[in-house]
Amino acid sequence: NVPFLEKEGTMRTLIRNGTVVTSVNEYEADIYIEDGIIKEIGKNTSRDAEEIIHAEGKLIFPGGVDEHEHYGSFGGRLFETTDAAAAGGTTTIVDFAPQEKGVPLIDAIKKQAAKAQGTACVDFAFHGIIMDPKESVFEEIAQLPEVGVSTLKLFMAYKGTDFYSDDESILKAMMKARECGVTMMVHAENADIINVLQKKYLAEGHTEPVYHYYSRPPVAEEEATKRAIALARTADCPLYVVHVSVKEAMEAIREAYTQGYPVFGETCTHYLTLTTEYLAKPDFEGAKYVCAPPLRPQKHVDALWEAVQKGWLQAVGSDHCALEGGFETKKRGLGDFTKIPNGCPGVQDRLAMLWTEGVCKGRITRQKFIELFATMPAKVVGLYPQKGEIAAGSDADLVIFDPDYEGVIRNEDSLHGIDYSPFEGFPVKGRPEQVYLRGKKIAENGRFIGPKGEGKWQKCRPYAMCYDYFSLN
Ligand code: URP
Ligand code: ZN
Ligand code: ZN
């Protein structure tokens, strides 16, 4: 293993006879890599290389692109735990960089990037988050593309905190974003519904984690999603609704798109695989599953599978937020469910869960899996085709996947650095046998083989996929 940054001359790798799986097709081929870039894909290539991998019987995926993480924000552990991404077959993460109140928007990006540089184990990019919604900050949105940021998230939930933005602020931000090719993301939950219900349930003496669900009912997400769509239509701005968890919210997105508006959405691994019943686990165990929006009943899980299969939602992110301190930190909410910090780890298990629960159970095709796991996330943030694709000219971020492996998710095998996994005990079929980042092997059989800190900051292009609509009209 020669670190590619230190090696002199050309580094050449040849992956022979694997089955290349993309979002549109699959075929047996050799992949020839030079200096971290895919140079040639073909049958029986005569290329020579320092490293030759025999991949007969294996599937070759593009490295995963996970466009929803919280490293260091919302109490999530920092970038040294991105080895979990690598081990799980994700080679690019797109992290949220929340602005500090009173500090310019792009300073947050630079600060977050400084934390990632020299630490991150996979490539990284950023979304902005406005924490100080006011005119001068909306003006700063135009600077985001200058630092390689093409997406911006605003929160309709979390009223009473700096995260919250009212409708006026969201509309103004959307108008500005539209002028400079930035895609707007929203956390769509009605903050007032949540506040009233939280107080009501606490007053009635309900303190357990499952009241996190009851106080954030599906209608709170449905209403906010519809309002976000109305604001985006007013601003004529592309909208990407993150972590969609509710059937009716998904239907509102589908309806808007079919009516001709550039409205898209992401769901997350846990909304496809876990239900509200996990929140009701006894002995405060349910707190481990507290995230926002909350886990939903089975009806929504089924609707979300149909949505990803039919293309009504575009991508599956992890919303990875491995809270520093793990379960102990969740215990801040003992006796008051509103004080349980939101967030669950998930970056390492996104591939295994989506493959096992999706492809192996016949819910999605292999092509759809690649689309949701890598290709679409890269398109949404403006990193495609450098990321999320297997093609000549793309970065050699590759997963050599063993489809025959059978195992069980166990936290003791997880690298996210906390004491539990929400997917503990799930049987999985298949696993990333080898993971390559820009032509360099970084993980093997679920273990990160380092070195840490070689992830590079990737600059996203503005006018990304959600803007394609406009070029047609
Ligand atoms: O529970 C979650 N999702 N925590 C992270 C913050 C967010 O809203 O995405
Ligand atoms: Zn959110
Ligand atoms: Zn999130």
Side-chain angles (χ1 to χ4, degrees):
N1 283 324
V2 186
F4 59 176
L5 295 176
E6 287 156 34
K7 188 173 185 297
E8 284 179 16
T10 303
M11 173 72 181
R12 301 172 306 169
T13 304
L14 184 61
I15 304 175
R16 279 208 177 278
N17 295 323
T19 300
V20 175
V21 186
T22 79
S23 64
V24 289
N25 58 11
E26 58 185 72
Y27 51 91
E28 210 172 280
D30 301 338
I31 301 177
Y32 174 69
I33 300 162
E34 229 179 67
D35 290 334
I37 306 287
I38 298 172
K39 282 281 152 78
E40 189 181 318
I41 304 172
K43 275 281 208 190
N44 304 321
T45 167
S46 55
R47 299 278 198 167
D48 199 12
E50 284 77 38
E51 187 185 21
I52 297 184
I53 300 140
H54 297 279
E56 286 83 1
K58 310 292 180 207
L59 306 177
I60 319 286
F61 302 155
V65 179
D66 189 346
E67 33 76 321
H68 196 145
E69 275 96 16
H70 302 276
Y71 284 99
S73 65
F74 280 91
R77 294 209 58 191
L78 267 164
F79 293 93
E80 65 269 12
T81 57
T82 50
D83 50 353
T90 287
T91 47
T92 305
I93 54 165
V94 192
D95 187 63
F96 286 91
Q99 177 196 23
E100 276 170 46
K101 215 175 168 71
V103 176
L105 207 46
I106 62 167
D107 285 11
I109 310 293
K110 291 179 182 162
K111 198 169 163 188
Q112 195 73 346
K115 288 185 206 161
Q117 262 151 352
T119 317
C121 305
V122 294
D123 283 353
F124 52 91
F126 299 101
H127 312 285
I129 288 185
I130 289 185
M131 302 280 282
D132 196 5
K134 60 183 187 203
E135 301 294 340
S136 60
V137 175
F138 304 143
E139 288 302 314
E140 290 169 23
I141 293 172
Q143 298 167 12
L144 286 174
E146 292 166 20
V147 289
V149 171
S150 74
T151 38
L152 176 66
K153 183 177 175 186
L154 270 76
F155 290 79
M156 303 169 96
Y158 305 130
K159 201 168 187 172
T161 76
D162 290 343
F163 282 99
Y164 176 75
S165 289
D166 62 15
D167 291 354
E168 182 181 343
S169 301
I170 293 171
L171 179 58
K172 287 178 175 169
M174 284 175 166
M175 286 170 159
K176 200 70 209 172
R178 172 69 176 97
E179 283 173 22
C180 50
V182 167
T183 299
M184 282 297 301
M185 297 175 146
V186 287
H187 178 125
E189 286 186 290
N190 181 307
D192 291 314
I193 292 179
I194 295 166
N195 279 353
V196 170
L197 291 182
Q198 284 181 337
K199 289 196 180 92
K200 168 182 140 66
Y201 287 124
L202 282 178
E204 289 170 2
H206 297 298
T207 61
E208 309 84 7
V210 74
Y211 282 89
H212 177 70
Y213 167 72
Y214 291 125
S215 61
R216 306 178 92 101
V219 68
E221 184 176 331
E222 178 189 347
E223 186 283 326
T225 304
K226 288 179 175 166
R227 190 156 33 96
I229 292 169
L231 296 169
R233 283 176 55 182
T234 308
D236 195 26
C237 179
L239 175 65
Y240 188 68
V241 184
V242 291
H243 48 46
V244 176
S245 70
V246 158
K247 178 175 189 278
E248 294 78 10
M250 174 276 287
E251 287 169 347
I253 292 163
R254 182 185 66 191
E255 180 72 9
Y257 181 80
T258 47
Q259 283 179 9
Y261 300 104
V263 175
F264 306 86
E266 163 220 60
T267 189
C268 303
T269 324
H270 40 289
Y271 301 124
L272 290 168
T273 54
L274 307 175
T275 63
T276 316
E277 283 172 28
Y278 284 81
L279 283 170
K281 281 190 169 211
D283 302 326
F284 202 64
E285 281 279 305
K288 291 179 177 174
Y289 304 88
V290 166
C291 57
L295 298 176
R296 303 299 188 182
Q298 190 65 40
K299 157 189 138 172
H300 300 281
V301 175
D302 295 341
L304 293 175
W305 274 116
E306 187 183 7
V308 294
Q309 189 240 331
K310 299 228 168 90
W312 302 333
L313 294 175
Q314 280 63 44
V316 177
S318 68
D319 202 352
H320 178 85
C321 187
L323 291 176
E324 188 77 56
F327 190 36
E328 205 48 42
T329 299
K330 293 282 192 185
K331 288 181 185 162
R332 279 187 216 144
L334 269 169
D336 180 350
F337 70 90
T338 68
K339 296 201 165 66
I340 304 171
N342 288 334
C344 303
V347 74
Q348 187 165 346
D349 301 322
R350 189 175 65 112
L351 183 157
M353 292 299 288
L354 201 49
W355 180 265
T356 307
E357 295 293 311
V359 179
C360 296
K361 294 198 173 167
R363 289 165 163 143
I364 53 172
T365 62
R366 293 173 172 190
Q367 277 57 54
K368 182 58 77 174
F369 162 79
I370 298 294
E371 184 181 310
L372 297 166
F373 175 69
T375 309
M376 268 298 186
K379 287 185 178 179
V380 167
V381 301
L383 285 175
Y384 184 86
Q386 184 195 345
K387 302 293 186 188
E389 187 58 282
I390 300 181
S394 294
D395 281 1
D397 298 342
L398 298 166
V399 175
I400 301 180
F401 187 75
D402 172 10
D404 298 322
Y405 172 84
E406 290 186 22
V408 172
I409 294 180
R410 300 182 312 171
N411 195 56
E412 59 190 272
D413 302 325
S414 301
L415 302 176
H416 48 231
I418 67 166
D419 55 356
Y420 77 92
S421 162
F423 306 110
E424 179 85 39
F426 265 85
V428 290
K429 186 122 172 63
R431 75 165 163 185
E433 197 176 82
Q434 300 180 51
V435 180
Y436 282 77
L437 175 66
R438 284 177 277 104
K440 164 99 188 289
K441 188 168 19 170
I442 57 168
E444 208 166 42
N445 296 327
R447 286 178 305 111
F448 181 68
I449 57 170
K452 290 192 171 190
E454 290 197 353
K456 279 190 185 165
W457 186 3
Q458 303 297 320
K459 306 294 167 60
C460 301
R461 286 184 311 279
Y463 297 101
M465 192 222 55
C466 301
Y467 277 82
D468 286 355
Y469 164 91
F470 290 109
S471 59
L472 299 173
N473 287 277

